[in-house]
Amino acid sequence: MEISNQLKNQHLLWRAGFGPAVEQLNDLSKYSPQKYYKALVKASAKEPTYINVANSELIDLYEQQQDAEKRKNMDEMQRREINRMQQAAVRNLSLYWLKEMVTTSAQLREKMAFFWHGHFASRNGNIFYNQLLLNVFRKHGLSDFGTLLKEVSRSASMLYFLNNQQNRKGRPNENFAREVMELFTLGRGNYTEKDIKEAARAFTGWTATGKGEFVFRENNHDTGEKTVLGKTGNFNGDDVLNIILENKQTAQFITQKIYTFFVNEKIDKAIVAKLADQFYNSKYDIAALMETIFTSDWFYQPQNIGARIKSPIELLVGIQRMLPMKLDNDYALFNMQKILGQQLLYPPNVAGWAGGRSWIDSSTLMMRLRIPQMFYDRDELNVTPKQDDDVMMGRKTDGTAAVPVKSAPQKKPYGAVDAQIDWPQYINKYEKTKREQLLATIKSNLLQIDSPRVQEVVNKNIDESSREAFIRSATVQLMSTPEYQLC
């Protein structure tokens, strides 16, 4: 079956970014996917600007907290105020990044950062740690995996999240070394418990300051001989990371993870094997791997189009890219993230989000289908968010089993969505479309798969009182179908 450039480019923009923007609608059929991809690469070539949402008051209080003498004189109220301001700042950073995903032309950069954010899952209440790690994802997400891995491994956010500040000579803490191997590089079953114990010794002394600067505490480092993945020496943390990168299983594991996220959860083993070889032989060149994926004919085959369920972030960002809007209540977006089960900078655990069908259950599906109408009607949020998952996947900071504690009932995050949609900008894109072709054209811009059911649902709820009303209602109805949940 021959697939049009229109559909191919829509597919590309959802996978390499967060969906088509309203200003791109008239261009989707004009260019080949290869040309579109080159444009995405060019738009993402510039180094990102560091995102800093911490105000001067918080910085001043935090500086005092890092000073041992000043910390002694801080009372409980001041400490609570710092925590409150930190929480608010992390929330603001989440919203800032979400808006960046909506408005930036550097879609490929932000999508790669979003992917690595889920792969190197870390959760931390310190705004400065969050900002630094987010900058690593945005700066190195398209560079080489070795550099990215080492930058993440030295980040204060990851070191503290995985307790490596407790990893000392004679008292090794294995959390960091375990997750580096199991979740970040080799995958479960491709190392031994002895490898983890020995690698943990190599990472002793790796920690960070309160400002997020990496520190190697030589006095805490185990200088003895270690054997990791069959190699023996007086290894430090960087040595272990290099040994892991030399292992082809790392290229296989990362390539399969990328394929699952960007292409299809049903793995084509032959394609993944070829991609993994390329990835390894290129010294883990992420940009080259992504170019091969996004410019290959197999990427645009029917079985890969509409094969993924949009994550909550992809769904929220995609709607706002297509329908430019101003939100009077920005925190409605923050609450929507919580309700749908994907909160930026707050992964459920060290394994990140499971994705796929885990996004859909009886409550989240109904909410997902309601969101376009809520933006349209400026409706109220009156749904209880999902319960938070365990930060450490059932482990306490010392690695022992944690006993679940029953949490207090969560309050419903009531609040108006208050979205002011710029309908004229959107409607103008259809000014040259004939009336009898309007619905088919809107559908081709919004959906990657079609079904008779879509036509029936839209026909029942369409407003034909005017051309503008028709476009508005058809758009909202199409965005409210299960088919729009797929990309």
Side-chain angles (χ1 to χ4, degrees), residues 371-439:
I371 286 173
Q373 195 70 46
M374 291 176 72
F375 283 135
Y376 184 45
D377 292 337
R378 306 179 71 175
D379 204 352
E380 291 271 326
L381 275 170
N382 58 0
V383 181
T384 303
K386 284 188 168 186
Q387 290 241 343
D388 187 23
D389 201 346
D390 177 32
V391 178
M392 289 301 299
M393 294 169 58
R395 292 192 296 274
K396 292 191 289 187
T397 56
D398 60 2
T400 58
V403 179
V405 178
K406 189 174 181 180
S407 58
Q410 292 181 303
K411 293 181 180 179
K412 291 183 178 181
Y414 292 103
V417 174
D418 284 340
Q420 299 178 36
I421 299 174
D422 184 357
W423 282 113
Q425 183 182 355
Y426 177 76
I427 290 171
N428 285 345
K429 292 296 177 181
Y430 296 99
E431 62 181 352
K432 294 181 180 178
T433 307
K434 294 180 180 179
R435 175 67 180 78
E436 61 272 17
Q437 296 174 344
L438 266 179
L439 183 56

Side-chain angles (χ1 to χ4, degrees), residues 108-366:
L108 180 60
R109 181 187 70 206
E110 299 306 326
K111 189 60 173 281
M112 291 306 303
F114 178 61
F115 167 74
W116 294 121
H117 170 48
H119 177 74
F120 292 109
S122 171
R123 194 158 96 178
N124 201 293
N126 183 311
I127 181 58
F128 306 103
Y129 292 4
N130 276 286
Q131 288 179 169
L132 287 165
L133 184 56
L134 178 57
N135 190 59
V136 168
F137 295 145
R138 298 177 72 234
K139 182 178 179 180
H140 298 289
L142 279 164
S143 61
D144 69 276
F145 181 72
T147 298
L148 178 63
L149 174 64
K150 290 175 182 178
E151 289 290 325
V152 171
S153 297
R154 287 171 173 260
S155 71
S157 184
M158 190 62 75
L159 289 169
Y160 274 85
F161 183 57
L162 297 179
N163 314 115
N164 209 70
Q165 78 280 9
Q166 300 172 13
N167 189 15
R168 302 178 180 186
K169 178 175 59 179
R171 290 184 295 159
N173 184 302
E174 298 172 11
N175 284 358
F176 181 79
R178 180 179 300 278
E179 306 310 355
V180 165
M181 290 188 179
E182 179 180 323
L183 296 175
F184 301 160
T185 58
L186 296 166
R188 186 173 296 177
N190 296 298
Y191 53 85
T192 67
E193 285 298 310
K194 179 117 184 318
D195 289 326
I196 291 172
K197 292 179 185 298
E198 297 286 273
R201 292 174 55 215
F203 286 115
T204 50
W206 278 36
T207 186
T209 67
K211 295 179 181 178
E213 298 159 336
F214 175 77
V215 173
F216 175 61
R217 302 200 186 282
E218 194 170 353
N219 291 339
N220 292 335
H221 180 63
D222 185 334
T223 57
E225 190 175 80
K226 310 157 188 86
T227 299
V228 179
L229 298 173
K231 298 194 175 184
T232 301
N234 180 15
F235 299 139
N236 59 29
D238 282 327
D239 294 327
V240 168
L241 294 178
N242 286 331
I243 290 169
I244 289 171
L245 289 166
E246 288 168 11
N247 191 314
K248 280 193 171 183
Q249 173 57 31
T250 297
Q252 175 70 27
F253 180 74
I254 299 301
T255 302
Q256 184 165 309
K257 188 91 176 272
I258 285 174
Y259 185 94
T260 301
F261 184 89
F262 289 97
V263 184
N264 200 319
E265 289 185 7
K266 293 181 179 179
I267 302 294
D268 186 315
K269 293 182 180 179
I271 289 177
V272 170
K274 288 181 181 178
L275 291 172
D277 283 343
Q278 173 194 325
F279 197 36
Y280 185 81
N281 293 331
S282 70
K283 297 183 180 179
Y284 294 95
D285 188 329
I286 300 168
L289 175 64
M290 303 316 295
E291 181 175 8
T292 298
I293 290 172
F294 292 132
T295 59
S296 293
D297 290 340
W298 51 258
F299 179 72
Y300 300 96
Q301 289 177 349
Q303 66 266 28
N304 293 325
I305 294 180
R308 286 186 59 245
I309 298 172
K310 294 172 187 172
S311 71
I313 295 300
E314 289 170 320
L315 180 66
L316 290 171
V317 173
I319 292 172
Q320 292 177 85
R321 282 177 60 74
M322 184 59 70
L323 298 178
M325 63 182 74
K326 180 179 181 298
L327 292 177
D328 292 338
N329 176 15
D330 277 342
Y331 289 110
L333 284 176
F334 187 75
N335 287 330
M336 281 182 181
Q337 292 179 47
K338 293 172 70 175
I339 292 166
L340 295 176
Q342 188 178 38
Q343 194 175 335
L344 287 176
L345 310 180
Y346 213 76
N349 50 55
V350 70
W353 295 279
R357 292 188 176 275
S358 71
W359 295 130
I360 303 293
D361 59 30
S362 57
S363 61
T364 56
L365 178 58
M366 294 307 296

Side-chain angles (χ1 to χ4, degrees), residues 90-106:
V90 173
R91 191 165 58 237
N92 288 337
L93 181 61
S94 166
L95 290 170
Y96 191 107
W97 189 23
L98 191 76
K99 289 181 181 178
E100 185 72 9
M101 293 174 181
V102 173
T103 60
T104 185
S105 61

